[in-house]
Amino acid sequence: WGHKGDSDRALEYFGKSLAIKLATFDKNHPHIAATYNNIGLAWFRKGDYDRALEYYGKTLAIELATLGENHPHTATAHHCIGLAWDKKGDYEKALEHYSKSLDIRLSTRDENHPETAVTSYSIGQVWSSKGDSDRALEYYGKALAIELAIYGEGHPYTAKTHRSIGQELLK
């Protein structure tokens, strides 16, 4: 069906999936965590950041219980929670979760991993929203260095980060 943007139908199917998984697996099974994350994403796309946080929180709880704090999946859960807090305008909570995500990613992935670039960029966006251009530029610069190493100059991600740096320099 591709990318239809139908969050309501997605929630319906994720709900069916979750019911089956809860009847089949232990409550802390990774498949249940993944489904909670998908439900959180659907609520996020609908703009209901409180509901997204509810499900992202369930994902994080399972990841912490089964994988521990220092695992790439836990980093992703923290990043998703950071995104929702960022959209709600609670930049301190967003930074808290993005920072946890970045710390985990730096300790479990290669320094030039795409996920590290994404989280660094997100931290830059928060600092920009908070009006701290120096810190925003610091994190945009980290993201750009990784993107250049991975993708090169002619990639859309690199272009987006160049644009963000330029916008920050205009402030």
Side-chain angles (χ1 to χ4, degrees), residues 125-143:
Q125 286 184 303
V126 172
W127 284 117
S128 178
S129 295
K130 286 175 60 85
D132 191 332
S133 290
D134 290 337
R135 283 193 169 161
L137 289 167
E138 174 188 349
Y139 282 92
Y140 286 152
K142 290 177 183 186

PDB file of all heavy atoms in Angstrom, residues 125-143:
ATOM      1  N   GLN A 125      18.755  21.503  16.216  1.00  0.00           N
ATOM      2  CA  GLN A 125      17.451  22.150  16.043  1.00  0.00           C
ATOM      3  C   GLN A 125      16.896  22.658  17.375  1.00  0.00           C
ATOM      4  O   GLN A 125      16.320  23.738  17.434  1.00  0.00           O
ATOM      5  CB  GLN A 125      16.461  21.181  15.410  1.00  0.00           C
ATOM      6  CG  GLN A 125      16.701  20.934  13.949  1.00  0.00           C
ATOM      7  CD  GLN A 125      15.627  20.048  13.362  1.00  0.00           C
ATOM      8  OE1 GLN A 125      15.394  18.935  13.821  1.00  0.00           O
ATOM      9  NE2 GLN A 125      14.957  20.554  12.334  1.00  0.00           N
ATOM     10  N   VAL A 126      17.070  21.861  18.430  1.00  0.00           N
ATOM     11  CA  VAL A 126      16.566  22.287  19.735  1.00  0.00           C
ATOM     12  C   VAL A 126      17.311  23.528  20.200  1.00  0.00           C
ATOM     13  O   VAL A 126      16.699  24.495  20.672  1.00  0.00           O
ATOM     14  CB  VAL A 126      16.658  21.155  20.780  1.00  0.00           C
ATOM     15  CG1 VAL A 126      16.325  21.677  22.171  1.00  0.00           C
ATOM     16  CG2 VAL A 126      15.723  20.018  20.409  1.00  0.00           C
ATOM     17  N   TRP A 127      18.633  23.507  20.074  1.00  0.00           N
ATOM     18  CA  TRP A 127      19.401  24.690  20.495  1.00  0.00           C
ATOM     19  C   TRP A 127      19.005  25.912  19.671  1.00  0.00           C
ATOM     20  O   TRP A 127      18.921  27.027  20.202  1.00  0.00           O
ATOM     21  CB  TRP A 127      20.903  24.430  20.421  1.00  0.00           C
ATOM     22  CG  TRP A 127      21.393  23.574  21.545  1.00  0.00           C
ATOM     23  CD1 TRP A 127      21.953  22.335  21.467  1.00  0.00           C
ATOM     24  CD2 TRP A 127      21.353  23.889  22.947  1.00  0.00           C
ATOM     25  NE1 TRP A 127      22.251  21.856  22.723  1.00  0.00           N
ATOM     26  CE2 TRP A 127      21.896  22.800  23.649  1.00  0.00           C
ATOM     27  CE3 TRP A 127      20.884  24.983  23.674  1.00  0.00           C
ATOM     28  CZ2 TRP A 127      22.004  22.777  25.038  1.00  0.00           C
ATOM     29  CZ3 TRP A 127      20.991  24.962  25.057  1.00  0.00           C
ATOM     30  CH2 TRP A 127      21.542  23.872  25.722  1.00  0.00           C
ATOM     31  N   SER A 128      18.707  25.712  18.392  1.00  0.00           N
ATOM     32  CA  SER A 128      18.240  26.817  17.567  1.00  0.00           C
ATOM     33  C   SER A 128      16.906  27.346  18.090  1.00  0.00           C
ATOM     34  O   SER A 128      16.707  28.557  18.216  1.00  0.00           O
ATOM     35  CB  SER A 128      18.095  26.359  16.113  1.00  0.00           C
ATOM     36  OG  SER A 128      17.592  27.403  15.313  1.00  0.00           O
ATOM     37  N   SER A 129      15.995  26.431  18.414  1.00  0.00           N
ATOM     38  CA  SER A 129      14.691  26.841  18.948  1.00  0.00           C
ATOM     39  C   SER A 129      14.821  27.578  20.273  1.00  0.00           C
ATOM     40  O   SER A 129      14.024  28.457  20.579  1.00  0.00           O
ATOM     41  CB  SER A 129      13.792  25.608  19.145  1.00  0.00           C
ATOM     42  OG  SER A 129      13.503  25.011  17.907  1.00  0.00           O
ATOM     43  N   LYS A 130      15.837  27.212  21.040  1.00  0.00           N
ATOM     44  CA  LYS A 130      16.074  27.867  22.330  1.00  0.00           C
ATOM     45  C   LYS A 130      16.823  29.192  22.165  1.00  0.00           C
ATOM     46  O   LYS A 130      17.030  29.905  23.134  1.00  0.00           O
ATOM     47  CB  LYS A 130      16.884  26.946  23.251  1.00  0.00           C
ATOM     48  CG  LYS A 130      16.083  25.784  23.808  1.00  0.00           C
ATOM     49  CD  LYS A 130      16.947  24.831  24.625  1.00  0.00           C
ATOM     50  CE  LYS A 130      17.608  25.450  25.803  1.00  0.00           C
ATOM     51  NZ  LYS A 130      16.817  25.518  27.036  1.00  0.00           N
ATOM     52  N   GLY A 131      17.244  29.517  20.927  1.00  0.00           N
ATOM     53  CA  GLY A 131      17.924  30.775  20.670  1.00  0.00           C
ATOM     54  C   GLY A 131      19.421  30.749  20.921  1.00  0.00           C
ATOM     55  O   GLY A 131      20.057  31.800  20.979  1.00  0.00           O
ATOM     56  N   ASP A 132      20.012  29.567  21.050  1.00  0.00           N
ATOM     57  CA  ASP A 132      21.456  29.444  21.282  1.00  0.00           C
ATOM     58  C   ASP A 132      22.127  29.036  19.976  1.00  0.00           C
ATOM     59  O   ASP A 132      22.359  27.854  19.708  1.00  0.00           O
ATOM     60  CB  ASP A 132      21.732  28.430  22.393  1.00  0.00           C
ATOM     61  CG  ASP A 132      23.176  28.441  22.861  1.00  0.00           C
ATOM     62  OD1 ASP A 132      24.073  28.787  22.056  1.00  0.00           O
ATOM     63  OD2 ASP A 132      23.417  28.091  24.038  1.00  0.00           O
ATOM     64  N   SER A 133      22.432  30.037  19.159  1.00  0.00           N
ATOM     65  CA  SER A 133      23.004  29.778  17.841  1.00  0.00           C
ATOM     66  C   SER A 133      24.358  29.098  17.905  1.00  0.00           C
ATOM     67  O   SER A 133      24.676  28.259  17.051  1.00  0.00           O
ATOM     68  CB  SER A 133      23.121  31.083  17.047  1.00  0.00           C
ATOM     69  OG  SER A 133      21.847  31.556  16.690  1.00  0.00           O
ATOM     70  N   ASP A 134      25.174  29.444  18.885  1.00  0.00           N
ATOM     71  CA  ASP A 134      26.497  28.819  18.977  1.00  0.00           C
ATOM     72  C   ASP A 134      26.383  27.305  19.171  1.00  0.00           C
ATOM     73  O   ASP A 134      27.072  26.528  18.501  1.00  0.00           O
ATOM     74  CB  ASP A 134      27.318  29.435  20.115  1.00  0.00           C
ATOM     75  CG  ASP A 134      27.738  30.867  19.819  1.00  0.00           C
ATOM     76  OD1 ASP A 134      27.805  31.246  18.615  1.00  0.00           O
ATOM     77  OD2 ASP A 134      28.004  31.615  20.781  1.00  0.00           O
ATOM     78  N   ARG A 135      25.513  26.902  20.083  1.00  0.00           N
ATOM     79  CA  ARG A 135      25.338  25.460  20.296  1.00  0.00           C
ATOM     80  C   ARG A 135      24.653  24.811  19.105  1.00  0.00           C
ATOM     81  O   ARG A 135      24.961  23.673  18.735  1.00  0.00           O
ATOM     82  CB  ARG A 135      24.565  25.197  21.577  1.00  0.00           C
ATOM     83  CG  ARG A 135      25.430  25.367  22.803  1.00  0.00           C
ATOM     84  CD  ARG A 135      24.752  24.805  24.002  1.00  0.00           C
ATOM     85  NE  ARG A 135      25.671  24.729  25.127  1.00  0.00           N
ATOM     86  CZ  ARG A 135      25.285  24.617  26.371  1.00  0.00           C
ATOM     87  NH1 ARG A 135      23.997  24.565  26.664  1.00  0.00           N
ATOM     88  NH2 ARG A 135      26.163  24.548  27.340  1.00  0.00           N
ATOM     89  N   ALA A 136      23.693  25.494  18.507  1.00  0.00           N
ATOM     90  CA  ALA A 136      23.036  24.954  17.315  1.00  0.00           C
ATOM     91  C   ALA A 136      24.079  24.697  16.229  1.00  0.00           C
ATOM     92  O   ALA A 136      24.116  23.615  15.635  1.00  0.00           O
ATOM     93  CB  ALA A 136      21.965  25.925  16.810  1.00  0.00           C
ATOM     94  N   LEU A 137      24.927  25.671  15.987  1.00  0.00           N
ATOM     95  CA  LEU A 137      25.965  25.518  14.964  1.00  0.00           C
ATOM     96  C   LEU A 137      26.939  24.404  15.316  1.00  0.00           C
ATOM     97  O   LEU A 137      27.416  23.684  14.430  1.00  0.00           O
ATOM     98  CB  LEU A 137      26.703  26.836  14.755  1.00  0.00           C
ATOM     99  CG  LEU A 137      25.890  27.921  14.047  1.00  0.00           C
ATOM    100  CD1 LEU A 137      26.581  29.276  14.158  1.00  0.00           C
ATOM    101  CD2 LEU A 137      25.639  27.540  12.593  1.00  0.00           C
ATOM    102  N   GLU A 138      27.245  24.244  16.597  1.00  0.00           N
ATOM    103  CA  GLU A 138      28.134  23.157  17.033  1.00  0.00           C
ATOM    104  C   GLU A 138      27.562  21.791  16.623  1.00  0.00           C
ATOM    105  O   GLU A 138      28.256  20.960  16.040  1.00  0.00           O
ATOM    106  CB  GLU A 138      28.317  23.220  18.546  1.00  0.00           C
ATOM    107  CG  GLU A 138      29.093  22.054  19.125  1.00  0.00           C
ATOM    108  CD  GLU A 138      29.084  22.037  20.654  1.00  0.00           C
ATOM    109  OE1 GLU A 138      28.665  23.032  21.286  1.00  0.00           O
ATOM    110  OE2 GLU A 138      29.480  20.998  21.206  1.00  0.00           O
ATOM    111  N   TYR A 139      26.287  21.584  16.909  1.00  0.00           N
ATOM    112  CA  TYR A 139      25.689  20.284  16.610  1.00  0.00           C
ATOM    113  C   TYR A 139      25.364  20.116  15.130  1.00  0.00           C
ATOM    114  O   TYR A 139      25.481  19.014  14.587  1.00  0.00           O
ATOM    115  CB  TYR A 139      24.471  20.029  17.497  1.00  0.00           C
ATOM    116  CG  TYR A 139      24.914  19.612  18.873  1.00  0.00           C
ATOM    117  CD1 TYR A 139      25.087  20.555  19.883  1.00  0.00           C
ATOM    118  CD2 TYR A 139      25.225  18.290  19.155  1.00  0.00           C
ATOM    119  CE1 TYR A 139      25.533  20.181  21.150  1.00  0.00           C
ATOM    120  CE2 TYR A 139      25.668  17.900  20.404  1.00  0.00           C
ATOM    121  CZ  TYR A 139      25.820  18.855  21.393  1.00  0.00           C
ATOM    122  OH  TYR A 139      26.272  18.476  22.633  1.00  0.00           O
ATOM    123  N   TYR A 140      24.979  21.192  14.459  1.00  0.00           N
ATOM    124  CA  TYR A 140      24.810  21.101  13.009  1.00  0.00           C
ATOM    125  C   TYR A 140      26.157  20.757  12.366  1.00  0.00           C
ATOM    126  O   TYR A 140      26.214  19.980  11.407  1.00  0.00           O
ATOM    127  CB  TYR A 140      24.300  22.424  12.428  1.00  0.00           C
ATOM    128  CG  TYR A 140      22.849  22.739  12.696  1.00  0.00           C
ATOM    129  CD1 TYR A 140      22.426  24.058  12.765  1.00  0.00           C
ATOM    130  CD2 TYR A 140      21.889  21.743  12.858  1.00  0.00           C
ATOM    131  CE1 TYR A 140      21.095  24.382  12.985  1.00  0.00           C
ATOM    132  CE2 TYR A 140      20.562  22.059  13.089  1.00  0.00           C
ATOM    133  CZ  TYR A 140      20.174  23.380  13.148  1.00  0.00           C
ATOM    134  OH  TYR A 140      18.850  23.693  13.371  1.00  0.00           O
ATOM    135  N   GLY A 141      27.222  21.338  12.881  1.00  0.00           N
ATOM    136  CA  GLY A 141      28.558  21.045  12.351  1.00  0.00           C
ATOM    137  C   GLY A 141      28.937  19.583  12.534  1.00  0.00           C
ATOM    138  O   GLY A 141      29.528  18.964  11.643  1.00  0.00           O
ATOM    139  N   LYS A 142      28.592  19.005  13.684  1.00  0.00           N
ATOM    140  CA  LYS A 142      28.856  17.584  13.918  1.00  0.00           C
ATOM    141  C   LYS A 142      28.058  16.730  12.935  1.00  0.00           C
ATOM    142  O   LYS A 142      28.584  15.770  12.364  1.00  0.00           O
ATOM    143  CB  LYS A 142      28.501  17.205  15.356  1.00  0.00           C
ATOM    144  CG  LYS A 142      29.450  17.784  16.380  1.00  0.00           C
ATOM    145  CD  LYS A 142      29.001  17.441  17.802  1.00  0.00           C
ATOM    146  CE  LYS A 142      29.938  18.087  18.812  1.00  0.00           C
ATOM    147  NZ  LYS A 142      29.641  17.666  20.186  1.00  0.00           N
ATOM    148  N   ALA A 143      26.796  17.081  12.753  1.00  0.00           N
ATOM    149  CA  ALA A 143      25.962  16.333  11.812  1.00  0.00           C
ATOM    150  C   ALA A 143      26.522  16.435  10.397  1.00  0.00           C
ATOM    151  O   ALA A 143      26.619  15.434   9.676  1.00  0.00           O
ATOM    152  CB  ALA A 143      24.523  16.852  11.849  1.00  0.00           C
TER     153      ALA A 143
END
